[in-house]
Amino acid sequence: QLKLVESGGGVVQPGGSLRLSCTYSGLAFSNIDMTWIRQAPGKGPEWVSSISYRNGDVLDYADSVKGRFIISRDNAENTLFLQMNNLKPEDTARYHCARGSRVVATSHTELWGQGTQVTVSS
């Protein structure tokens, strides 16, 4: 059974950094594309970034986070990461890791973990 557990969220000042982690159990992690999605209060889900299973090729970043966020994975540890730098108040959201590519993950909320809250505030 698929299980995704995110961690690493918290409260940080603008300009600060956080590193989110997502541990995965179930089907072979190394064979699955993975995605980060975020949802701010009162807003719809926003795709953040996706990473390929093949050799960790980054598929893409949303323009809003490009140059500030870095997605990576450790297939040996079944873990997905999101390094978030130069955080802005508009990055405040609940961050979910999800199984699948951008198209698959954004269309199927059942593939998401419960999420971890990130709040950027002075």
Side-chain angles (χ1 to χ4, degrees), residues 4 6 20-22 33-40 43-51 60-62 64-65 69 71 80-82 84 91-118:
L4 301 170
E6 301 92 336
L20 305 184
S21 299
C22 169
D33 296 340
M34 294 294 294
T35 291
W36 285 100
I37 294 169
R38 67 186 182 184
Q39 187 161 16
K43 296 186 177 180
E46 178 188 13
W47 170 77
V48 175
S49 182
S50 297
I51 187 167
D60 209 354
Y61 293 100
S64 57
V65 307
F69 289 12
I71 189 172
L80 177 73
F81 301 101
L82 186 68
M84 305 187 297
D91 295 318
T92 295
R94 191 162 190 86
Y95 285 72
H96 302 265
C97 66
R99 180 168 69 92
S101 64
R102 174 181 182 176
V103 171
V104 172
T106 54
S107 302
H108 297 277
T109 58
E110 70 272 18
L111 300 177
W112 301 8
Q114 290 299 306
T116 184
Q117 179 66 36
V118 172

Side-chain angles (χ1 to χ4, degrees), residues 52-79:
S52 167
Y53 74 91
R54 292 183 178 87
N55 54 7
D57 286 347
V58 177
L59 300 183
D60 209 354
Y61 293 100
D63 288 343
S64 57
V65 307
K66 197 170 293 185
R68 300 187 297 120
F69 289 12
I70 301 171
I71 189 172
S72 62
R73 64 191 297 161
D74 183 339
N75 286 345
E77 297 295 328
N78 283 8
T79 304

